[in-house]
Amino acid sequence: MVTARRAPGNCHFNFGQDVMLANSPGGVEEHLLQVSPRGSGEGDEAFVDEEEYEPPNMPQGFVFQVLILSTWGDPYYVGLNGLELYDDDGDRIRLTENNIGAYPDSVNILEGVSDDVRTPEKLVDGVNDTLDGRHMWLAPILPSQLNRVYIVFDYPVTVSMIKLWNYAKTPNRGVKEFGILVDDLLVYNGVLDKVSTTLNSSNTNLRSMKVPHRTVLFTRDKELLQQEHSNQVRHSSYGHDVHLLNNSQRVTSGGSYLSADQSLRPLTSLVPPTRSKSLHNI
């Protein structure tokens, strides 16, 4: 027996589900969000004191969603370098392009844009600490829509932490305020640090530079807490500027504003090289 994943009620991503008839990882286990009670493990006090609220311990579900509420200033585009999910043992979960989706999908949905390489599967290609745009995801910010990244599984998956690498090519296009949902239940919200502009100097060696990651923890494991302490996403590092979301529409945000003039959208393009043309970026 298997558990059928609930349909999302939209077409933001391919929600077809593959059913494994042998050795199904999910089986008939309960797939709803699992939350351990407060005080259920060692290290709780240290975990809670540094947060404004307590995220659930080890959420489990089919669809993990990064809901992007604002950027670090660009009203037209938002992007990420990469992300990684880790299971309940602290091991990285192998993700492929079949697991990842985004809405809007990428800059390729814009009129006159095609073959831009900054597509959703680049989020899970394993090359995250880079300034090379060929390993990043970039999407347009559209009126009355919130940008979303989906990580979709065919069976229930338990997650202990999520690592995020913000968009480094143009730091103002990086994610600022964001939330994380598991099967449409909000489990986290916070602010993702902006990539330092010093990484973008023309003298930077792309091979030697390092784009730092930030970690959202859903575990009370003392070893993981200690390991990711300096990388942890903080709620109180910056003020939250989103005051109201009305029917999934961005109303007020310090990073992105609702009424950006679409006719003034700057062009952007990063396409693979051809015989007559090398990789170019506008």
Side-chain angles (χ1 to χ4, degrees), residues 60-255:
Q60 184 185 78
F62 284 100
V63 180
F64 291 75
Q65 179 186 158
V66 179
L67 180 65
I68 300 170
L69 302 173
S70 66
T71 72
W72 280 101
D74 194 308
Y76 295 103
Y77 297 100
V78 64
L80 282 169
N81 269 27
L83 54 81
E84 293 178 350
L85 275 63
Y86 289 76
D87 64 17
D88 47 354
D89 293 322
D91 297 324
R92 184 165 63 91
I93 299 171
R94 182 178 178 273
L95 300 174
T96 71
E97 60 181 296
N98 293 328
N99 297 110
I100 198 80
Y103 184 82
D105 181 81
S106 71
V107 292
N108 289 305
I109 71 163
L110 295 173
E111 184 177 358
V113 179
S114 62
D115 298 325
D116 194 293
V117 297
R118 292 168 291 183
T119 46
E121 69 273 10
K122 303 308 189 308
L123 292 171
V124 295
D125 67 359
V127 183
N128 302 319
D129 54 343
T130 180
L131 293 180
D132 188 344
R134 291 172 295 181
H135 298 284
M136 302 177 189
W137 165 74
L138 187 70
I141 297 173
L142 302 178
S144 304
Q145 291 185 8
L146 291 174
N147 292 76
R148 305 164 190 264
V149 174
Y150 295 93
I151 306 97
V152 185
F153 298 98
D154 292 321
Y155 53 87
V157 170
T158 301
V159 168
S160 61
M161 61 181 174
I162 298 176
K163 293 183 180 181
L164 300 163
W165 284 259
N166 216 344
Y167 193 75
K169 186 172 178 57
T170 309
N172 283 349
R173 293 177 176 176
V175 173
K176 185 181 181 184
E177 300 148 297
F178 71 101
I180 295 176
L181 292 82
V182 181
D183 289 344
D184 293 327
L185 295 177
L186 180 67
V187 297
Y188 188 88
N189 70 346
V191 175
L192 189 61
D193 288 350
K194 181 181 180 181
V195 175
S196 172
T197 54
T198 59
L199 294 177
N200 291 68
S201 81
S202 58
N203 296 324
T204 300
N205 186 328
L206 296 184
R207 295 183 178 180
S208 63
M209 54 75 60
K210 190 83 171 175
V211 175
H213 72 271
R214 290 293 176 259
T215 306
V216 178
L217 288 164
F218 296 107
T219 179
R220 298 183 179 89
D221 182 276
K222 295 178 71 174
E223 185 177 340
L224 287 178
L225 288 172
Q226 196 169 33
Q227 171 187 311
E228 294 298 325
H229 176 76
S230 61
N231 300 317
Q232 194 171 352
V233 176
R234 310 292 179 188
H235 297 105
S236 56
S237 297
Y238 307 94
H240 285 243
D241 298 315
V242 171
H243 300 301
L244 178 65
L245 289 178
N246 182 16
N247 193 27
S248 297
Q249 297 179 12
R250 184 187 296 105
V251 177
T252 303
S253 170

Side-chain angles (χ1 to χ4, degrees), residues 21-40:
L21 299 181
N23 300 322
S24 174
V28 293
E29 295 177 355
E30 178 62 53
H31 71 272
L32 297 177
L33 180 68
Q34 304 295 312
V35 182
S36 299
R38 273 182 88 133
S40 61

